[in-house]
Amino acid sequence: MLTLTPDAAAAIAAHAEATYPDECVGLLLGRLEADDKVVLGVFRAENRWQGQVTLAEGDDPTSRRDRFYLDPRDYMRADREARSRGLELVGVYHSHPDHPAAPSERDRVGAQAIGGTSFAFVIQSVRSGSAAELASWLLVDDGARFEQEEITIWP
Ligand SMILES: [Zn+2]
């Protein structure tokens, strides 16, 4: 289960709206308690997608509207910030402009490079510039598929 403070949830929504119609990306700072994760802050990263991967013909390789790239250096910066606050990285978030909060095949491949088995992959849907549904996913079966996990906003 993933628990977000109202402030953390609002920060993800605001970031997703600010980068619309491009995807945003960031890290979740918090505490891991058994399999439960509590998110107490967010770290806004830059979507550094610049066509790092060759895609299908006809695809615009520089578009950030349906993909993101999380630079490992940003991951390290977020990790340092988490440690300085006595927290740890418990997940990553990105937005889906005008798409449901369900992970794409590209997300599944990308997620295999980030985090461990309990790492949360949070997706914020944005519709016409306004934050919509929020969902959290866990990579299971050795990265073969995502499984949705429950989100609680608390307190
Ligand atoms: Zn995605």
mmCIF file of all heavy atoms in Angstrom, residues 7 10-11 18 36 46-47 54 66 73 75 77 90 101 118-119 131 139 145 153:
data_model
loop_
_atom_site.group_PDB
_atom_site.id
_atom_site.type_symbol
_atom_site.label_atom_id
_atom_site.label_comp_id
_atom_site.label_asym_id
_atom_site.label_seq_id
_atom_site.Cartn_x
_atom_site.Cartn_y
_atom_site.Cartn_z
ATOM 1 N N ASP A 7 -0.243 16.984 1.064
ATOM 2 C CA ASP A 7 0.740 17.878 0.439
ATOM 3 C C ASP A 7 1.500 17.170 -0.680
ATOM 4 O O ASP A 7 1.761 17.760 -1.731
ATOM 5 C CB ASP A 7 1.755 18.385 1.484
ATOM 6 C CG ASP A 7 1.173 19.505 2.336
ATOM 7 O OD1 ASP A 7 0.030 19.935 2.056
ATOM 8 O OD2 ASP A 7 1.866 19.934 3.274
ATOM 9 N N ALA A 10 -0.737 16.720 -3.642
ATOM 10 C CA ALA A 10 -0.953 18.012 -4.316
ATOM 11 C C ALA A 10 0.289 18.420 -5.104
ATOM 12 O O ALA A 10 0.177 19.019 -6.184
ATOM 13 C CB ALA A 10 -1.299 19.086 -3.277
ATOM 14 N N ALA A 11 1.484 18.088 -4.586
ATOM 15 C CA ALA A 11 2.725 18.439 -5.276
ATOM 16 C C ALA A 11 2.858 17.672 -6.593
ATOM 17 O O ALA A 11 3.310 18.216 -7.600
ATOM 18 C CB ALA A 11 3.923 18.162 -4.369
ATOM 19 N N ALA A 18 1.924 21.542 -14.431
ATOM 20 C CA ALA A 18 2.899 22.542 -14.881
ATOM 21 C C ALA A 18 3.609 22.123 -16.162
ATOM 22 O O ALA A 18 3.955 22.966 -16.992
ATOM 23 C CB ALA A 18 3.922 22.810 -13.778
ATOM 24 N N ASP A 36 4.557 -1.388 3.308
ATOM 25 C CA ASP A 36 3.833 -0.125 3.206
ATOM 26 C C ASP A 36 4.798 1.028 3.043
ATOM 27 O O ASP A 36 5.820 1.096 3.732
ATOM 28 C CB ASP A 36 2.987 0.093 4.469
ATOM 29 C CG ASP A 36 1.822 -0.870 4.530
ATOM 30 O OD1 ASP A 36 1.525 -1.501 3.499
ATOM 31 O OD2 ASP A 36 1.228 -0.997 5.607
ATOM 32 N N GLU A 46 13.809 16.754 -13.787
ATOM 33 C CA GLU A 46 13.606 17.277 -15.134
ATOM 34 C C GLU A 46 13.346 16.084 -16.048
ATOM 35 O O GLU A 46 14.016 15.048 -15.905
ATOM 36 C CB GLU A 46 14.890 17.996 -15.552
ATOM 37 C CG GLU A 46 14.752 18.942 -16.714
ATOM 38 C CD GLU A 46 14.044 20.230 -16.353
ATOM 39 O OE1 GLU A 46 14.264 20.732 -15.222
ATOM 40 O OE2 GLU A 46 13.269 20.710 -17.183
ATOM 41 N N ASN A 47 12.376 16.217 -16.949
ATOM 42 C CA ASN A 47 12.184 15.170 -17.956
ATOM 43 C C ASN A 47 13.249 15.381 -19.030
ATOM 44 O O ASN A 47 13.134 16.268 -19.865
ATOM 45 C CB ASN A 47 10.775 15.255 -18.557
ATOM 46 C CG ASN A 47 10.530 14.162 -19.586
ATOM 47 O OD1 ASN A 47 11.431 13.411 -19.945
ATOM 48 N ND2 ASN A 47 9.300 14.081 -20.058
ATOM 49 N N THR A 54 15.958 4.582 -29.970
ATOM 50 C CA THR A 54 15.388 4.563 -31.320
ATOM 51 C C THR A 54 13.997 3.934 -31.259
ATOM 52 O O THR A 54 13.823 2.857 -30.706
ATOM 53 C CB THR A 54 16.278 3.745 -32.268
ATOM 54 O OG1 THR A 54 17.596 4.260 -32.178
ATOM 55 C CG2 THR A 54 15.794 3.855 -33.697
ATOM 56 N N ASP A 66 4.644 11.513 -24.358
ATOM 57 C CA ASP A 66 4.263 10.158 -23.929
ATOM 58 C C ASP A 66 5.481 9.382 -23.434
ATOM 59 O O ASP A 66 5.512 8.172 -23.520
ATOM 60 C CB ASP A 66 3.540 9.420 -25.051
ATOM 61 C CG ASP A 66 4.407 9.267 -26.299
ATOM 62 O OD1 ASP A 66 5.534 9.809 -26.319
ATOM 63 O OD2 ASP A 66 3.951 8.606 -27.247
ATOM 64 N N ARG A 73 21.665 11.043 -12.512
ATOM 65 C CA ARG A 73 22.189 12.099 -11.627
ATOM 66 C C ARG A 73 21.070 12.757 -10.837
ATOM 67 O O ARG A 73 21.249 13.153 -9.690
ATOM 68 C CB ARG A 73 22.963 13.138 -12.449
ATOM 69 C CG ARG A 73 24.318 12.607 -12.910
ATOM 70 C CD ARG A 73 24.924 13.489 -13.966
ATOM 71 N NE ARG A 73 24.131 13.422 -15.189
ATOM 72 C CZ ARG A 73 24.478 13.961 -16.346
ATOM 73 N NH1 ARG A 73 25.592 14.630 -16.457
ATOM 74 N NH2 ARG A 73 23.704 13.838 -17.404
ATOM 75 N N TYR A 75 18.374 11.170 -9.980
ATOM 76 C CA TYR A 75 18.037 10.134 -8.985
ATOM 77 C C TYR A 75 18.970 10.270 -7.774
ATOM 78 O O TYR A 75 18.526 10.225 -6.615
ATOM 79 C CB TYR A 75 18.192 8.751 -9.629
ATOM 80 C CG TYR A 75 17.776 7.608 -8.739
ATOM 81 C CD1 TYR A 75 16.489 7.084 -8.821
ATOM 82 C CD2 TYR A 75 18.663 7.057 -7.817
ATOM 83 C CE1 TYR A 75 16.100 6.029 -8.011
ATOM 84 C CE2 TYR A 75 18.282 6.006 -7.004
ATOM 85 C CZ TYR A 75 17.009 5.492 -7.105
ATOM 86 O OH TYR A 75 16.621 4.466 -6.291
ATOM 87 N N ARG A 77 20.586 12.969 -6.820
ATOM 88 C CA ARG A 77 20.261 14.214 -6.097
ATOM 89 C C ARG A 77 19.062 13.992 -5.175
ATOM 90 O O ARG A 77 19.054 14.444 -4.026
ATOM 91 C CB ARG A 77 19.929 15.339 -7.095
ATOM 92 C CG ARG A 77 21.150 15.943 -7.731
ATOM 93 C CD ARG A 77 20.782 17.144 -8.624
ATOM 94 N NE ARG A 77 21.872 17.396 -9.539
ATOM 95 C CZ ARG A 77 21.860 17.084 -10.844
ATOM 96 N NH1 ARG A 77 20.773 16.577 -11.402
ATOM 97 N NH2 ARG A 77 22.917 17.300 -11.587
ATOM 98 N N VAL A 90 11.179 5.983 -2.031
ATOM 99 C CA VAL A 90 10.230 4.864 -1.993
ATOM 100 C C VAL A 90 9.500 4.688 -3.318
ATOM 101 O O VAL A 90 8.718 3.762 -3.476
ATOM 102 C CB VAL A 90 9.207 5.029 -0.843
ATOM 103 C CG1 VAL A 90 9.926 5.018 0.509
ATOM 104 C CG2 VAL A 90 8.379 6.296 -0.996
ATOM 105 N N ALA A 101 -4.130 6.531 -16.132
ATOM 106 C CA ALA A 101 -2.993 6.346 -15.225
ATOM 107 C C ALA A 101 -2.536 4.894 -15.194
ATOM 108 O O ALA A 101 -2.268 4.322 -14.138
ATOM 109 C CB ALA A 101 -3.376 6.826 -13.819
ATOM 110 N N SER A 118 9.760 -3.218 -4.079
ATOM 111 C CA SER A 118 8.667 -2.516 -3.405
ATOM 112 C C SER A 118 8.562 -1.065 -3.869
ATOM 113 O O SER A 118 7.767 -0.300 -3.364
ATOM 114 C CB SER A 118 8.855 -2.564 -1.889
ATOM 115 O OG SER A 118 10.023 -1.853 -1.541
ATOM 116 N N PHE A 119 9.382 -0.685 -4.845
ATOM 117 C CA PHE A 119 9.376 0.681 -5.368
ATOM 118 C C PHE A 119 8.032 0.973 -6.035
ATOM 119 O O PHE A 119 7.548 0.190 -6.853
ATOM 120 C CB PHE A 119 10.504 0.807 -6.394
ATOM 121 C CG PHE A 119 11.228 2.122 -6.375
ATOM 122 C CD1 PHE A 119 11.925 2.533 -5.243
ATOM 123 C CD2 PHE A 119 11.248 2.941 -7.496
ATOM 124 C CE1 PHE A 119 12.623 3.739 -5.240
ATOM 125 C CE2 PHE A 119 11.941 4.142 -7.490
ATOM 126 C CZ PHE A 119 12.630 4.548 -6.362
ATOM 127 N N ALA A 131 -5.166 17.902 -13.359
ATOM 128 C CA ALA A 131 -4.830 16.608 -12.776
ATOM 129 C C ALA A 131 -6.095 15.780 -12.584
ATOM 130 O O ALA A 131 -7.108 16.270 -12.080
ATOM 131 C CB ALA A 131 -4.119 16.804 -11.445
ATOM 132 N N LEU A 139 6.122 -3.394 -9.904
ATOM 133 C CA LEU A 139 6.618 -4.328 -10.909
ATOM 134 C C LEU A 139 6.710 -5.708 -10.254
ATOM 135 O O LEU A 139 7.366 -5.861 -9.224
ATOM 136 C CB LEU A 139 8.000 -3.844 -11.365
ATOM 137 C CG LEU A 139 8.499 -4.211 -12.755
ATOM 138 C CD1 LEU A 139 7.470 -3.876 -13.829
ATOM 139 C CD2 LEU A 139 9.809 -3.494 -13.028
ATOM 140 N N ARG A 145 5.347 -7.835 -15.432
ATOM 141 C CA ARG A 145 4.095 -7.063 -15.475
ATOM 142 C C ARG A 145 3.973 -6.153 -14.251
ATOM 143 O O ARG A 145 4.706 -6.322 -13.273
ATOM 144 C CB ARG A 145 2.887 -7.996 -15.545
ATOM 145 C CG ARG A 145 2.748 -8.872 -14.332
ATOM 146 C CD ARG A 145 1.604 -9.880 -14.466
ATOM 147 N NE ARG A 145 1.512 -10.672 -13.232
ATOM 148 C CZ ARG A 145 0.771 -10.312 -12.176
ATOM 149 N NH1 ARG A 145 0.043 -9.229 -12.222
ATOM 150 N NH2 ARG A 145 0.755 -11.057 -11.089
ATOM 151 N N ILE A 153 -4.690 8.568 0.872
ATOM 152 C CA ILE A 153 -4.260 9.949 1.182
ATOM 153 C C ILE A 153 -4.491 10.142 2.680
ATOM 154 O O ILE A 153 -5.605 9.960 3.171
ATOM 155 C CB ILE A 153 -5.072 10.999 0.390
ATOM 156 C CG1 ILE A 153 -5.084 10.681 -1.107
ATOM 157 C CG2 ILE A 153 -4.520 12.401 0.660
ATOM 158 C CD1 ILE A 153 -3.773 10.850 -1.826
#
